[in-house]
Amino acid sequence: MDLRNWVNRLHLFRVVWAIGGHAGDGDSLDVAYRYHSSDELLNFFRFLGLEPVVYAEKPPQPEVGVPYPGDVYDQFPFLVQGTEWIEQPSHCQVAGQAVFIYAHGGEVTLGVHDGFEITDAAVARAEMLEKLLEKAPLERIDPPVDSRRCICPKHHPEYFE
């Protein structure tokens, strides 16, 4: 009953179930957009009200095969691969709502959740974000995760009839 209610309340975000096991992921409400250049990505971040961090030169990055203590590893900036050198927004606030943003391979995903699960409060936050995202300057990717784990018209049409 909760799932059907959430799906009917949301128009852009999709429910995505965790892979589970030892993946360390959780359930999330996700929406994704396609970008074709670093400039498009930066403009999208600004549209969201974020001030992207862009480095003038490549900052130090962890070396493959070298172990780092957690506090040292956390000091390396987490960059968007394929850019010069945009930092991932990761956990941030958009329109006053907590969201996780991750960009890679020409796609940028916004995820909303509470810990490792979806709650009514997370759905309410996603609804608020949708008001802003209706005017997003990028093409939306639907489904944001092309898998049966994603509750979307393509994989679960029975929820959208």
Side-chain angles (χ1 to χ4, degrees), residues 41 51 68 95 97 114 142 153:
L41 182 61
E51 187 51 48
Y68 297 92
Q97 306 304 313
D114 284 326
D142 193 25

Side-chain angles (χ1 to χ4, degrees), residues 105-122:
E107 297 180 8
V108 56
T109 302
L110 289 79
V112 176
H113 52 83
D114 284 326
F116 289 97
E117 62 185 13
I118 299 169
T119 63
D120 283 327

Side-chain angles (χ1 to χ4, degrees), residues 1-9 17 120 159:
M1 196 64 153
D2 282 340
L3 180 59
R4 189 168 299 282
N5 177 36
W6 295 340
V7 168
N8 287 324
R9 288 171 57 187
W17 299 128
D120 283 327
Y159 286 97

Side-chain angles (χ1 to χ4, degrees), residues 13-91:
F13 281 87
R14 302 293 185 214
V15 172
V16 179
W17 299 128
I19 293 171
H22 294 285
D25 63 342
D27 300 336
S28 182
L29 299 168
D30 290 355
V31 62
Y33 294 90
R34 187 172 325 284
Y35 65 91
H36 300 284
S37 68
S38 293
D39 285 340
E40 278 188 354
L41 182 61
L42 290 170
N43 288 336
F44 182 68
F45 289 163
R46 290 183 184 110
F47 164 80
L48 296 174
L50 304 174
E51 187 51 48
V53 176
V54 182
Y55 295 87
E57 58 186 46
K58 187 174 183 179
Q61 293 289 281
E63 295 180 40
V64 175
V66 176
Y68 297 92
D71 60 334
V72 173
Y73 186 83
D74 289 343
Q75 294 176 11
F76 292 109
F78 186 32
L79 302 176
V80 176
Q81 290 181 343
T83 67
E84 291 189 356
W85 294 280
I86 302 170
E87 190 170 335
Q88 293 280 1
S90 300
H91 295 281

